[in-house]
Amino acid sequence: MEGIFMQLALQYAQLKTSITRVLQIPHTYMDVPVSVEEIAGYLYCTERNVKILIRKMSEMGWIVWTPGRGRGHRSAIRFLVAAEDLLLAEAKVLVEQGNLNNAMSLFHMEGLDGGVIDRFLAWLGSYFGYRGNCESGNPETLRLPMQFRVLTLDPVDILFSRDLHFVKQAFDTLLYYNPLCGCLEPGLAHEWACNDNATVWTFYLRKRVRFHHGREMTADDVVFSFNRLRSLGTEYSPNRWLLRSVREIRAVDRLTVRLELDAPNYMLPHYVSSYQAAIVPADVYSASKVADASMLPVGTGPFRIARHDTGGLTLEAFEDYYKECAHLDRIELLYVPDNVSDRRWQQLNFQMGKLNHYKQPAPAHWYKKEVMMLGSSTLVFNFRKKGPQQELKFRQAIQLILNRSGLIKELGLYHARPAADFLPPESPTAEPEDHQPERAKELLRECGYEGESITMIFTLKNRPHAEWIQSCCQAVGIGVVLKEYTFEQMTKVPLLLEADVIIGGVVADDDEARCLIEVYKVGNLAVRTYATDEQRLVFDETIAAIEAEPDAQERLQRIRGMQDLISDNYAVLFLLHTTQQLVYSPHLQGIAFNTLGWFDFKNIWFRSDSMEE
């Protein structure tokens, strides 16, 4: 019934806006001469259907229809309801059904008052935020908007930080890396040990850990999960490298797992603490079942995924979680359509959300948190394709024209600062000398550059940066062809190899050592994808030597030093470090940012007596 009403409302809006536009009348709150035949043309339907629609709209009180009497007398229609009001009401219903995309699509109709979208977004702001009451028994729910879609919730496929954040809500790992102490702690395994040279690792599992579908986790699930991680996909799969040094994985008994390695690896506990190595139930993640695109993830994490589709994502607290349960009952996330402009996105008055406070100030009594992301945006050059980017002096020339401070000022990126490394420095550093166009022109002449264009790929969020770099390059005679990729396209190695340079980035998780190694190991990340075979061999040999080092501090220093392998030859140019900002109501407690720029949903709770300052 609801669908029939919505269709009638759409037809009413289409008819009213069409008549207003075609007859060029300022309003339609008057009798307008029209024929059944003309209405059929406006609505692309038969005259028989028009008569049915007229009757229904009259019964709804939306129109007054006066039929023409006698030959040559036209009928008349008077519209009694604003089309925008009907569409707004229908849009609210769609949002409450969890489909913001379809709600927004209602306002694409030509001829509508543009203010209706602002009215809708104002309502939407009040829809997001905290709902429920623990005393009434209603589920305590936090509703949040999301601009970018989650690509995958399968741990073995995770590449982007956004996807990783949601995998963390639904899955657990054998060990947990605690960034506060910089150490590994028990997870699904309560204890672990290795032999004298770190070639055999044993993990002892907790009892009574349950998956979301109710079954208890055993050693067989760990063996299945690890074998799946190191065998699924192709050589370019993002996370197979984590267990590449493992020769054999076996269940010693129901709650004990042993990994035998080809070589010493003191980094292995860090690798199995990666959420890409999360434990999944063997009976659910068989090849035949995972091929079902509609299958919802099943893990042991604090939330189970109750919805994951084109409209959004819903998480429900898992009551049998083996650690402390989540405070909130539900987290509902709705995707905001791509066609919502940045201005309108910033206008949404969420109870909690990521905002640029330099453009849209938060309410004075709300709290603000900021965290410097562990990572950097980058330019990475393709050494596996012929072109001017193969020349060292060409890459040096681009380094000298990036003008990072100018980029920050021009684009209003007040949350960013120039980068010279993967990780932000602990203290402020001098501004880079990266605005030397004349010196850049000299380098181009010295390397014999003849004006060939290079192709630069990027995602939608990096388009402004790409256009800035293109402009800087053109100023010294370098032609740059821009090509926008989707996030999904950015995972495809053959597509990546078509470009000469990529604007990308590295966002490190809390475990700095593992994440920096990842930069050189992931098969479809730009640093490895664009490296020559010889460079990849150097990466692998260097990392193998680091893995064999027993001292953790020595390992970290050598991992950090690997940057010289790509920065000394200008294979990678670092662009910007960014700060993530969060604003939220003082009623919301337990907010803690992670270095991915997200907050842990499990610890959020609502304090009804919180005082607004």
Side-chain angles (χ1 to χ4, degrees):
M1 187 66 183
E2 179 61 42
I4 296 173
F5 182 87
M6 181 179 299
Q7 182 62 30
L8 187 64
L10 284 171
Q11 290 168 319
Y12 174 87
Q14 181 66 51
L15 179 59
K16 184 177 180 183
T17 55
S18 297
I19 288 178
T20 303
R21 184 177 65 254
V22 172
L23 299 183
Q24 296 184 343
I25 54 179
H27 63 83
T28 52
Y29 300 104
M30 60 183 183
D31 289 337
V32 179
V34 69
S35 68
V36 170
E37 181 181 8
E38 289 168 337
I39 293 177
Y42 292 138
L43 298 181
Y44 305 102
C45 64
T46 65
E47 293 184 22
R48 180 175 178 274
N49 282 337
V50 167
K51 293 176 182 177
I52 296 173
L53 293 174
I54 288 172
R55 177 176 56 80
K56 289 181 178 179
M57 292 178 190
S58 298
E59 291 172 352
M60 295 296 298
W62 296 350
I63 65 170
V64 173
W65 176 257
T66 306
R69 302 297 182 185
R71 185 180 297 275
H73 288 55
R74 302 181 72 197
S75 300
I77 189 169
R78 181 188 304 171
F79 295 95
L80 303 178
V81 180
E84 292 80 5
D85 291 345
L86 287 181
L87 295 181
L88 187 60
E90 290 306 312
K92 292 177 181 179
V93 171
L94 285 171
V95 169
E96 289 166 353
Q97 293 173 347
N99 201 325
L100 182 53
N101 274 300
N102 283 357
M104 290 294 296
S105 69
L106 296 179
F107 304 118
H108 294 169
M109 191 178 298
E110 185 179 355
L112 289 178
D113 179 1
V116 69
I117 299 181
D118 290 321
R119 290 167 58 197
F120 172 67
L121 292 179
W123 171 84
L124 192 61
S126 65
Y127 177 81
F128 286 122
Y130 173 84
R131 293 290 179 275
N133 188 321
C134 58
E135 293 183 359
S136 69
N138 294 327
E140 289 191 272
T141 301
L142 186 64
R143 297 186 182 125
L144 299 172
M146 281 181 63
Q147 256 186 317
F148 298 104
R149 283 150 182 71
V150 170
L151 287 183
T152 179
L153 290 174
D154 190 331
V156 301
D157 291 331
I158 295 299
L159 180 63
F160 298 112
S161 60
R162 175 185 59 256
D163 298 353
L164 174 58
H165 169 72
F166 288 101
V167 162
K168 284 186 170 188
Q169 311 309 308
F171 295 91
D172 286 305
T173 52
L174 291 189
L175 306 180
Y176 166 71
Y177 182 83
N178 186 339
L180 297 179
C181 65
C183 60
L184 290 163
E185 296 179 348
L188 296 175
H190 65 85
E191 187 60 80
W192 66 100
C194 70
N195 64 351
D196 290 341
N197 66 350
T199 57
V200 178
W201 288 86
T202 305
F203 297 90
Y204 303 94
L205 308 181
R206 296 180 186 272
K207 293 180 179 179
R208 295 178 289 277
V209 174
R210 296 199 174 276
F211 289 109
H212 296 154
H213 67 322
R215 183 174 63 75
E216 186 177 359
M217 180 196 71
T218 70
D220 289 337
D221 295 300
V222 177
V223 172
F224 171 83
S225 300
F226 284 176
N227 280 328
R228 180 173 183 264
L229 173 62
R230 64 183 186 147
S231 63
L232 204 63
T234 69
E235 64 176 304
Y236 299 123
S237 296
N239 304 304
R240 288 180 67 173
W241 70 273
L242 284 165
L243 298 179
R244 189 152 285 167
S245 64
V246 176
R247 181 173 64 245
E248 183 184 8
I249 306 170
R250 61 188 178 91
V252 177
D253 57 38
R254 185 170 169 274
L255 293 173
T256 307
V257 177
R258 183 159 296 151
L259 279 66
E260 296 183 10
L261 282 55
D262 291 323
N265 189 349
Y266 289 93
M267 284 296 298
L268 185 78
H270 292 264
Y271 294 168
V272 300
S273 74
S274 164
Y275 276 81
Q276 288 85 340
I279 306 306
V280 301
D283 55 326
V284 173
Y285 280 79
S286 64
S288 59
K289 290 183 179 179
V290 175
D292 179 6
S294 65
M295 190 193 89
L296 294 173
V298 179
T300 61
F303 290 93
R304 69 177 189 88
I305 307 296
R307 175 197 182 188
H308 177 214
D309 55 32
T310 57
L313 193 65
T314 298
L315 293 76
E316 295 182 347
F318 180 40
E319 294 183 358
D320 289 333
Y321 189 49
Y322 76 97
K323 291 196 275 190
E324 183 181 352
C325 290
H327 297 295
L328 294 180
D329 300 309
R330 288 168 65 88
I331 309 287
E332 295 179 0
L333 300 112
L334 293 183
Y335 293 135
V336 176
D338 296 337
N339 58 8
V340 174
S341 68
D342 183 62
R343 178 184 67 84
R344 282 180 167 146
W345 169 260
Q346 297 295 342
Q347 286 174 342
L348 284 179
N349 186 25
F350 318 135
Q351 271 216 254
M352 182 190 330
K354 297 177 184 180
L355 297 177
N356 185 335
H357 309 309
Y358 301 98
K359 296 180 181 179
Q360 180 73 20
H365 62 281
W366 281 16
Y367 295 155
K368 306 180 184 71
K369 284 184 181 289
E370 292 189 349
V371 64
M372 177 63 71
M373 304 283 282
L374 278 184
S376 167
S377 54
T378 57
L379 275 184
V380 185
F381 294 99
N382 187 358
F383 286 176
R384 303 185 77 85
K385 180 186 176 187
K386 292 181 179 180
Q389 79 281 358
Q390 292 282 356
E391 292 290 335
L392 173 62
K393 290 184 176 180
F394 179 87
R395 303 191 297 275
Q396 290 175 320
I398 291 185
Q399 165 71 2
L400 293 176
I401 61 173
L402 290 175
N403 190 8
R404 296 166 176 83
S405 297
L407 168 64
I408 291 171
K409 182 177 180 180
E410 179 72 20
L411 298 184
L413 304 175
Y414 303 104
H415 60 295
R417 64 187 186 194
D421 196 338
F422 280 124
L423 303 178
E426 295 181 359
S427 57
T429 56
E431 293 288 322
E433 297 180 0
D434 57 358
H435 187 45
Q436 302 181 48
E438 295 308 314
R439 175 56 183 153
K441 290 178 183 178
E442 290 179 17
L443 289 170
L444 293 174
R445 286 193 293 269
E446 291 172 11
C447 72
Y449 175 63
E450 297 180 347
E452 310 99 300
S453 291
I454 59 171
T455 299
M456 178 185 295
I457 58 175
F458 52 91
T459 57
L460 174 63
K461 72 173 185 177
N462 284 325
R463 175 168 280 280
H465 304 69
E467 291 173 345
W468 170 268
I469 295 169
Q470 181 190 45
S471 176
C472 293
C473 287
Q474 288 174 340
V476 296
I478 301 174
V480 178
V481 177
L482 300 182
K483 193 170 184 181
E484 184 179 307
Y485 276 15
T486 65
F487 280 101
E488 188 171 12
Q489 288 173 318
M490 281 291 191
T491 68
K492 311 298 184 184
V493 169
L495 292 178
L496 297 180
L497 291 173
E498 293 177 2
D500 302 298
V501 61
I502 180 175
I503 299 181
V506 173
V507 180
D509 199 357
D510 295 320
D511 189 344
E512 175 188 333
R514 173 178 53 76
C515 290
L516 287 179
I517 286 178
E518 192 174 84
V519 171
Y520 307 93
K521 279 290 195 179
V522 172
N524 55 353
L525 272 183
V527 171
R528 189 172 187 90
T529 299
Y530 283 177
T532 64
D533 290 343
E534 293 78 13
Q535 289 170 324
R536 293 177 183 179
L537 182 61
V538 172
F539 294 164
D540 292 344
E541 290 176 344
T542 305
I543 290 169
I546 290 170
E547 291 172 342
E549 170 57 54
D551 185 83
Q553 285 303 313
E554 176 64 20
R555 287 199 304 270
L556 183 57
Q557 291 305 313
R558 289 165 68 178
I559 290 169
R560 289 173 175 170
M562 284 190 70
Q563 183 176 302
D564 293 342
L565 297 175
I566 55 176
S567 59
D568 285 353
N569 65 354
Y570 295 83
V572 176
L573 305 182
F574 302 98
L575 294 176
L576 303 174
H577 300 301
T578 57
T579 298
Q580 278 284 10
Q581 303 170 326
L582 185 73
V583 296
Y584 57 97
S585 162
H587 292 283
L588 287 163
Q589 304 289 311
I591 302 293
F593 249 146
N594 58 40
T595 53
L596 296 175
W598 285 89
F599 41 90
D600 186 357
F601 291 153
K602 184 173 80 70
N603 296 325
I604 298 172
W605 61 284
F606 186 82
R607 181 175 177 175
S608 60
D609 65 341
S610 181
M611 298 297 292
E612 295 186 355
E613 299 177 0

